[in-house]
């Protein structure tokens, strides 16, 4: 008989025998442990720029998530999240696309995804084009075609689809948080769509 351990609950709920999830599964960090790790180590992230393609594989639309900050400002971002200990890059990418775009997004991920860019985020502005107040993070960035219906989950308000020309504009870049406008332009350049 196989026994399956419960998945860690990010809200801090307890697993079997009332043991905190961070103790029952060493791959999960409590909020305090995560904060401590962020102060000492670079964190590994994956980021995905969702795209729609036509029948010949040409990109027709580029997606960006609309979010509200705790201060009430509206910003745009891309699909993003940490890679868990023991998780493959592909699995992390799939998990975050599903978390941010919904289970019906139907991402088309190759068996061995290759990033189009590596972005390094620093807590000190100006060190690189990318900034994250919380941590030093290294992010593998991917272009991910999606074929289904995108219903944002988590803290995103909507997914906005831009034409490649609009996505590369200064106006959209200015709305992107943490330097992700630069990342979006790198994706467009990688696809040969930056004009």
């Amino acid at each position: 008989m196989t026994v399956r351990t419960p998945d860690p609950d990010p809200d801090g709920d307890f697993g079997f025998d009332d043991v905190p999830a961070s103790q029952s599964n060493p791959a999960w960090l409590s909020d305090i442990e995560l904060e401590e790790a962020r102060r000492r180590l670079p964190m590994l992230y994956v980021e995905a720029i969702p795209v729609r393609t036509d029948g010949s594989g040409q990109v027709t639309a580029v997606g960006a998530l609309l979010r509200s900050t705790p201060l009430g400002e509206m910003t745009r971002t891309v699909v993003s999240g940490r890679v868990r200990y023991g998780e493959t890059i592909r699995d992390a990418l799939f998990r975050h696309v599903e978390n941010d775009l919904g289970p019906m997004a139907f991402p088309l991920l190759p068996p061995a995804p290759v990033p189009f860019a590596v972005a390094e985020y620093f807590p000190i502005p100006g060190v690189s084009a990318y900034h994250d107040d919380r941590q030093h993070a290294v992010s593998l960035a991917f272009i991910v075609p999606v074929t289904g219906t995108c219903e944002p989950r988590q803290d995103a308000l909507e997914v906005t689809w831009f034409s490649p020309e609009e996505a590369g504009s200064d106006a959209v870049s200015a709305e992107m948080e943490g330097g992700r406008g630069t990342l979006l332009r790198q994706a467009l350049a990688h696809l040969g769509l930056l004009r």
Side-chain angles (χ1 to χ4, degrees), residues 52-151:
R52 299 258 189 221
T53 59
D54 62 17
S56 66
Q58 294 297 312
V59 172
T60 58
V62 179
L65 299 169
L66 181 66
R67 291 197 171 135
S68 175
T69 68
L71 299 174
E73 299 169 328
M74 302 302 276
T75 63
R76 295 198 186 276
T77 191
V78 298
V79 172
S80 179
R82 281 184 291 132
V83 177
R84 293 179 179 162
Y85 179 82
E87 182 177 44
T88 67
I89 297 296
R90 187 178 193 280
D91 287 346
L93 192 55
F94 185 84
R95 178 172 56 85
H96 288 297
V97 168
E98 186 175 83
N99 282 347
D100 285 354
L101 301 181
M104 302 304 286
F106 300 129
L108 301 175
L109 296 177
V114 176
F116 72 87
V118 176
E120 193 169 11
Y121 291 83
F122 288 93
I124 302 165
V127 175
S128 80
Y130 308 104
H131 176 256
D132 186 334
D133 288 330
R134 304 167 301 163
Q135 65 194 338
H136 175 195
V138 176
S139 179
L140 306 175
F142 300 87
I143 298 165
V144 178
V146 293
T147 60
T149 304
C150 294
E151 297 288 334

Side-chain angles (χ1 to χ4, degrees), residues 8 13-14 20 29 32 45 50 55 57 70 72 84 123 129-130 134 143 163:
D13 288 345
F14 292 86
L29 299 174
I32 294 169
Y45 275 71
R84 293 179 179 162
Y130 308 104
R134 304 167 301 163
I143 298 165
S163 70

Side-chain angles (χ1 to χ4, degrees), residues 14-20:
F14 292 86
F16 291 127
D17 303 320
D18 292 331
V19 176

